[in-house]
Amino acid sequence: LFGVRDLVNEKQMVGEKAAEFVKDGMIVGLGTGSTVFYTIQKLGQLVNEGLSIKAVPTSIQTERLARELGITLVDFTEIEGFDLAIDGADEVDENLNLIKGGGGALLREKIIAYAAKEFIVIADSSKLVKSLGTFPLPVEVVPFGMELTERHLKELGGVPRLRTIDGAPFKTDNGNFIFDCDFGFIENAGELEKAINMIPGVVENGLFVGMADKVITLDKQGKVVIRG
Ligand code: 5RP
């Protein structure tokens, strides 16, 4: 299996590869997490060397990083959409469907991926699965009535666990909570994605179905490959 050192290396390889798709003048959505960290770092370097882009971050964490690196950030009043969004994933299946939200940024990530002409996902080899569902599905819910929302998630077959940090509920950048839900292997990701979002109180869930245009990952020899 993979050592931690190898995975860090893989994250850097796929992360930096994704930066090659960013061209001068593009409006770019910047994802969240330890893989896209390397993309953002690389973009910072390219911007320093003269690349001109405008970016929107998918989290406060990414916003901080991008600012530090001197990447120009804009808000939604200044743009119509995105040429490109780049982000990591927690699981990627053979049809390029994803589970995301391990870092808690799924709502902003989905808003931006949905508005992008192209959505590129970067994933180390530990993220590749045959069927989605080993990684518990993150579901962002509003605090009001969350006990009811939890019950409805159970009725759909999930086993929800409220995400906590240091003993307190984890709060998203949007002031909401996250239930990490074990649905077992997910047979029909598209149906489940919609059914969960029909529950009042659910803001969004981490199933990204049919959204990824390309997945940058590694083959068995450790060579970067692009799927999609
Ligand atoms: C955050 C996400 C991340 O993309 C996902 O958790 C992957 O993170 P990492 O690159 O750190 O493994 O969805 O909400």
Side-chain angles (χ1 to χ4, degrees):
L1 281 169
F2 325 98
V4 173
R5 169 96 54 74
D6 298 336
L7 282 184
V8 169
N9 204 350
E10 287 193 13
K11 283 172 194 273
Q12 181 161 8
M13 285 168 76
V14 296
E16 291 185 352
K17 182 74 189 173
E20 292 177 18
F21 290 84
V22 178
K23 306 288 179 224
D24 218 47
M26 277 189 168
I27 299 169
V28 184
L30 301 175
T32 295
S34 59
T35 315
V36 80
F37 167 84
Y38 291 104
T39 311
I40 299 167
Q41 268 210 331
K42 186 78 195 172
L43 288 177
Q45 183 194 322
L46 294 171
V47 163
N48 244 303
E49 293 166 7
L51 177 77
S52 166
I53 57 169
K54 289 178 181 163
V56 177
T58 55
S59 63
I60 293 169
Q61 181 193 321
T62 290
E63 180 178 346
R64 242 180 245 135
L65 177 64
R67 268 193 211 292
E68 266 171 37
L69 294 166
I71 297 172
T72 303
L73 298 178
V74 291
D75 68 37
F76 289 99
T77 58
E78 296 170 68
I79 59 168
E80 303 258 303
F82 296 89
D83 296 297
L84 182 60
I86 303 172
D87 209 341
D90 299 299
E91 282 188 348
V92 180
D93 77 7
E94 291 170 339
N95 300 314
L96 309 192
N97 294 328
L98 320 171
I99 286 183
K100 286 183 49 55
L106 64 123
L107 174 61
R108 295 186 186 195
E109 291 172 342
K110 212 184 229 185
I111 289 172
I112 287 179
Y114 190 76
K117 283 189 206 137
E118 186 169 32
F119 178 37
I120 297 181
V121 173
I122 44 184
D124 64 66
S125 54
S126 73
K127 309 288 182 58
L128 307 178
V129 297
K130 242 182 146 32
S131 314
L132 300 175
T134 302
F135 191 93
L137 177 66
V139 179
E140 180 159 348
V141 306
V142 296
F144 182 88
M146 60 190 274
E147 295 77 4
L148 294 177
T149 309
E150 181 180 17
R151 205 179 301 155
H152 294 309
L153 287 166
K154 284 184 187 158
E155 283 163 9
L156 280 184
V159 179
R161 282 191 64 166
L162 182 66
R163 189 179 297 185
T164 57
I165 183 162
D166 300 329
F170 169 88
K171 249 194 178 174
T172 69
D173 287 349
N174 318 298
N176 297 316
F177 295 134
I178 288 188
F179 283 115
D180 291 302
C181 300
D182 182 358
F183 279 96
F185 284 119
I186 297 169
E187 274 172 27
N188 191 330
E191 248 172 44
L192 184 63
E193 181 188 21
K194 289 194 190 82
I196 292 172
N197 282 359
M198 286 301 291
I199 301 172
V202 167
V203 183
E204 192 48 84
N205 71 80
L207 282 168
F208 283 51
V209 178
M211 291 181 83
D213 296 298
K214 285 190 180 76
V215 174
I216 302 179
T217 184
L218 292 109
D219 65 13
K220 288 205 175 77
Q221 283 72 44
K223 222 179 104 240
V224 171
V225 286
I226 300 172
R227 287 163 51 186

